[in-house]
């Protein structure tokens, strides 16, 4: 638990304006961020131009650049990190799409249960996630943490401060909702 306490302490120091805290924090959280980025990149095309290390660095720079953030703890930090990494990938996909005028493909695994593991457009996936967020913000956060962040049911429940059975139930609903939403785009 020393690491979790150390992360929380450094986050608080960073929020207070300590300029040395971001470097110290990166040393402690880098391996976990790299693992999180690796989970994201597993779902990307094999010829993706953004590497996991670059994703970690870009996301970390965005995280520590936030002003007036009151970080609560390690769990909140990694929850926000998962969201930031997703946004970095979406930004990258949009930039690539505007350059090449074609979609950025992602293969969803059994986590979302899209039939035949067919490739889908990452931007369409993000749009579907935004639609789900309007309907049910907690289910959208569960998808973000489970699929994009690679978190377990238990970790997701802890971060969202809900029961594991609530996460399981809402995860099942969200998977079905995504299958319907993304399946309708597959013409």
């Amino acid at each position: 638990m020393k690491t979790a306490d150390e992360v929380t302490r450094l986050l608080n120091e960073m929020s207070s304006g300590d300029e040395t805290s971001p470097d110290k924090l990166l040393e402690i959280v880098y391996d976990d961020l790299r693992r999180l980025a690796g989970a994201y990149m597993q779902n990307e095309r094999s010829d993706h131009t953004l590497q996991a290390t670059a994703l970690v660095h870009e996301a970390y720079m965005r995280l520590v650049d936030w002003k007036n953030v009151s970080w609560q703890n390690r769990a909140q930090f990694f929850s926000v990190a998962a969201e930031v990494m997703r946004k970095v990938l979406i930004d990258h996909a949009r930039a690539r799409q505007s350059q090449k005028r074609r979609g950025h493909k992602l293969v969803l695994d059994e986590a979302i249960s899209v039939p035949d593991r067919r490739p889908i457009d990452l931007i369409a996936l993000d749009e579907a996630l935004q639609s789900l967020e309007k309907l049910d913000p907690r289910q959208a956060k569960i998808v973000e943490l489970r699929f994009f962040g690679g978190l377990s049911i238990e970790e997701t429940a802890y971060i969202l401060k809900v029961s594991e059975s609530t996460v399981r139930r809402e995860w099942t609903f969200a998977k079905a909702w995504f299958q319907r939403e993304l399946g309708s785009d597959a013409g």
Side-chain angles (χ1 to χ4, degrees):
M1 223 32 193
K2 183 180 180 202
T3 302
D5 293 340
E6 182 73 1
V7 168
T8 301
R9 183 183 64 76
L10 288 169
L11 288 168
N12 289 332
E13 288 176 7
M14 197 167 67
S15 295
S16 298
D18 181 354
E19 293 181 14
T20 64
S21 295
D23 290 337
K24 293 176 187 173
L25 179 64
L26 183 59
E27 288 177 28
I28 294 173
V29 299
Y30 184 80
D31 289 339
D32 290 329
L33 289 174
R34 184 79 166 79
R35 190 182 84 246
L36 184 61
Y40 274 95
M41 299 308 292
Q42 254 182 334
N43 297 313
E44 294 292 324
R45 301 177 333 268
S46 60
D47 65 339
H48 198 287
T49 59
L50 187 65
Q51 299 298 316
T53 301
L55 179 57
V56 168
H57 292 164
E58 177 66 24
Y60 191 75
M61 292 308 296
R62 290 185 187 189
L63 283 166
V64 298
D65 194 36
W66 288 10
K67 304 293 184 231
N68 303 318
V69 173
S70 178
W71 294 104
Q72 297 170 12
N73 55 38
R74 180 181 187 279
Q76 181 214 21
F77 176 79
F78 282 101
S79 173
V80 173
E83 184 176 341
V84 169
M85 284 185 189
R86 179 177 64 89
K87 289 179 179 178
V88 168
L89 287 170
I90 297 302
D91 290 349
H92 188 76
R94 286 192 174 122
R96 181 172 168 90
Q97 187 177 45
S98 68
Q99 289 172 353
K100 295 205 173 193
R101 298 286 180 225
R102 64 176 196 188
H104 176 110
K105 301 298 182 186
L106 169 76
V107 177
L108 291 179
D109 66 8
E110 61 280 354
I112 301 287
S113 300
V114 175
D116 302 324
R117 295 177 53 102
R118 71 179 182 276
I120 63 159
D121 188 318
L122 181 58
I123 295 171
L125 177 63
D126 184 58
E127 289 169 355
L129 187 58
Q130 289 177 23
S131 294
L132 178 60
E133 189 171 29
K134 289 176 186 169
L135 295 172
D136 192 321
R138 185 169 63 195
Q139 284 183 5
K141 193 64 173 176
I142 288 170
V143 169
E144 184 172 74
L145 293 171
R146 295 272 297 134
F147 179 73
F148 289 106
L151 298 184
S152 68
I153 294 284
E154 297 77 19
E155 291 167 326
T156 302
Y158 175 78
I159 287 173
L160 296 179
K161 296 182 173 112
V162 297
S163 70
E164 291 175 21
S165 61
T166 296
V167 171
R168 277 189 197 89
R169 180 179 62 251
E170 294 194 11
W171 175 238
T172 299
F173 176 82
K175 287 189 298 184
W177 187 88
F178 266 93
Q179 186 172 6
R180 188 194 67 192
E181 287 295 306
L182 297 173
S184 66
D185 290 341

